Amino acid sequence: MFLAMRELWFARTRFLLMGAVVALISILMVILSGLSSGLVVDGVSALQRTPVQAFAFAEGTKTDSAFSRSVVTEEQADTWRARPDVARAELFGNTIVNAKTGDGVPVDLTLFGVQPGSFLEPAAEEGAPLAGDTDVILSDSARDSGVVVGDSIVIDRLGTQLNVVGFTSDKRTFGHVDVAYLPLSKWQEIHAGVRLGESVPPSAYTEASVVAIEGVNGELPDLTAGDADAGTASKTLEESFDSSPGYSAEMMTMSMITAFLYAISALVVGAFFTIWTVQRSREIAVLRAMGASTGFLLRDALLQAVIVLVGSVTFGVLVGLGLGSGLEGSGMPFVLESGPVLQGAVLLVVLGLLGAALAVVRIVRVDPLAALGENR
């Protein structure tokens, strides 16, 4: 008799209302997914695009803002280079600074100090590679500040002038700040706080934030053994994301919000089908009295939940993608990625089905005589 299928039409107003609630939750899921991905891109996209397997920090460096706290030496980099499972190891500088363009426009930059011509230097889509001591290659997103090739950038308080020679092909940010790649020697001078015209202490040219490590054939080296030899504390590339300012707190906040959203979705769907099952107890009792098996009733009820959930989630995701496409490029850290959105949609359906399954289990306990009022 397919009672559940018939109910979808005859009680369509109730199911449409329920579907609207699930669709709204799906829209919110897409928006939260875009915000989470956007925060990741805005926080660590420059690290994501760095061709390394690990970073070696100074031993004992705290996790939060570890790049700015850590100081390693050329000697430690040489120790890493000597290892057979390491293809290349280079000193890598990381410092967030305030600066101004030649026109006096304030800009915030994360300075990545790299050896010119090394595997750490990005290809410039527009302009030229690093050649001069004061050359810098900026993230493509720095164009939004009005910077163009040929402009000069002056570091606040130090007076150091840098010349923009190119832009990367993509957005590269760290700590929500555009990245500027510059020669390691100039980064070392800035990191040492050397003002324009002051002499540079020789020790400044032997230090950097971390050692960037590339394994043989792209494989992760033995970090434990390397740390023991070099006196460092290594992290894989993904683990180093937590060293971006505020990254861990942002991700924990978004994860908690998303978890509550999924829990609310399961509770809402479960509550709806619990009430709905109670209201249709007499109809279920009639089916039981006519010989319908428990398995048939459960499958019929769950199919009803699947249709409502899949239809509502699909509609909500499509609407969310439409709304999200308008948020991309709006200045908000928002990026739509198919993987997280698809994963979220599947979770909404699965958790909704779990809530519905717990609700319709009471079908197993329906007594036809009691439900039909025979006990009276």
Side-chain angles (χ1 to χ4, degrees):
M1 294 177 64
F2 302 105
L3 175 64
M5 299 300 98
R6 295 171 183 267
E7 286 173 338
L8 287 175
W9 174 252
F10 288 107
R12 53 187 177 275
T13 302
R14 296 182 187 181
F15 283 103
L16 283 174
L17 288 173
M18 179 60 201
V21 172
V22 175
L24 288 173
I25 293 175
S26 302
I27 293 171
L28 184 55
M29 179 274 297
V30 174
I31 300 301
L32 287 176
S33 174
L35 286 173
S36 296
S37 299
L39 287 172
V40 171
V41 170
D42 215 44
V44 296
S45 59
L47 292 182
Q48 288 176 320
R49 295 176 173 88
T50 302
V52 301
Q53 277 69 54
F55 289 107
F57 295 80
E59 200 168 21
T61 303
K62 292 184 179 180
T63 299
D64 185 39
S65 300
F67 280 100
S68 60
R69 302 174 189 272
S70 173
V71 177
V72 296
T73 64
E74 184 67 43
E75 182 181 351
Q76 290 172 308
D78 287 337
T79 302
W80 276 102
R81 293 187 189 106
R83 292 193 55 79
D85 54 355
V86 174
R88 290 179 288 190
E90 295 283 352
L91 288 179
F92 177 82
N94 183 315
T95 303
I96 298 178
V97 298
N98 301 119
K100 289 184 176 67
T101 65
D103 298 329
V105 179
V107 290
D108 296 326
L109 294 173
T110 298
L111 303 181
F112 277 10
V114 300
Q115 285 290 357
S118 71
F119 71 102
L120 296 175
E121 180 183 347
E125 181 191 41
E126 177 190 347
L130 298 177
D133 186 49
T134 60
D135 290 351
V136 290
I137 297 175
L138 298 183
S139 164
D140 179 69
S141 52
R143 300 175 193 267
D144 297 338
S145 301
V147 183
V148 297
V149 173
D151 280 353
S152 61
I153 294 175
V154 180
I155 306 299
D156 287 354
R157 295 182 295 106
L158 301 182
T160 304
Q161 181 172 312
L162 305 173
N163 301 312
V164 179
V165 297
F167 290 94
T168 62
S169 60
D170 46 23
K171 178 179 180 177
R172 300 195 180 203
T173 52
F174 177 84
H176 306 292
V177 178
D178 291 322
V179 165
Y181 295 85
L182 74 166
L184 180 62
S185 58
K186 181 56 66 176
W187 178 90
Q188 290 166 330
E189 294 174 8
I190 295 172
H191 183 255
V194 177
R195 296 176 181 273
L196 189 64
E198 293 181 348
S199 59
V200 183
S203 61
Y205 293 115
T206 65
E207 297 177 343
S209 300
V210 295
V211 180
I213 302 164
E214 182 185 26
V216 176
N217 298 323
E219 296 293 329
L220 182 68
D222 186 344
L223 300 182
T224 303
D227 286 335
D229 293 341
T232 55
S234 298
K235 295 182 179 183
T236 63
L237 179 61
E238 268 194 38
E239 290 172 345
S240 72
F241 295 168
D242 288 340
S243 302
S244 173
Y247 178 84
S248 297
E250 290 171 351
M251 291 301 101
M252 288 174 62
T253 300
M254 295 305 298
S255 297
M256 181 172 292
I257 294 173
T258 305
F260 274 109
L261 178 68
Y262 291 139
I264 290 170
S265 174
L267 288 172
V268 168
V269 174
F272 173 81
F273 280 100
T274 296
I275 296 172
W276 184 245
T277 302
V278 171
Q279 291 179 341
R280 57 202 285 260
S281 296
R282 294 178 65 85
E283 289 79 5
I284 294 172
V286 171
L287 292 178
R288 288 292 302 273
M290 295 173 62
S293 66
T294 299
F296 171 83
L297 294 175
L298 288 173
R299 287 193 300 272
D300 196 35
L302 286 177
L303 180 59
Q304 185 183 72
V306 168
I307 292 173
V308 172
L309 287 169
V310 172
S312 303
V313 169
T314 301
F315 179 78
V317 167
L318 292 176
V319 173
L321 291 174
L323 293 174
S325 61
L327 295 176
E328 289 186 303
S330 62
M332 181 186 298
F334 190 91
V335 176
L336 286 174
E337 296 180 344
S338 58
V341 171
L342 182 61
Q343 182 183 11
V346 171
L347 270 175
L348 285 179
V349 173
V350 171
L351 292 175
L353 279 177
L354 180 61
L358 293 176
V360 300
V361 160
R362 66 181 297 120
I363 291 175
V364 179
R365 300 194 297 269
V366 170
D367 180 6
L369 292 178
L372 292 172
E374 185 62 27
N375 59 329
R376 296 197 297 271

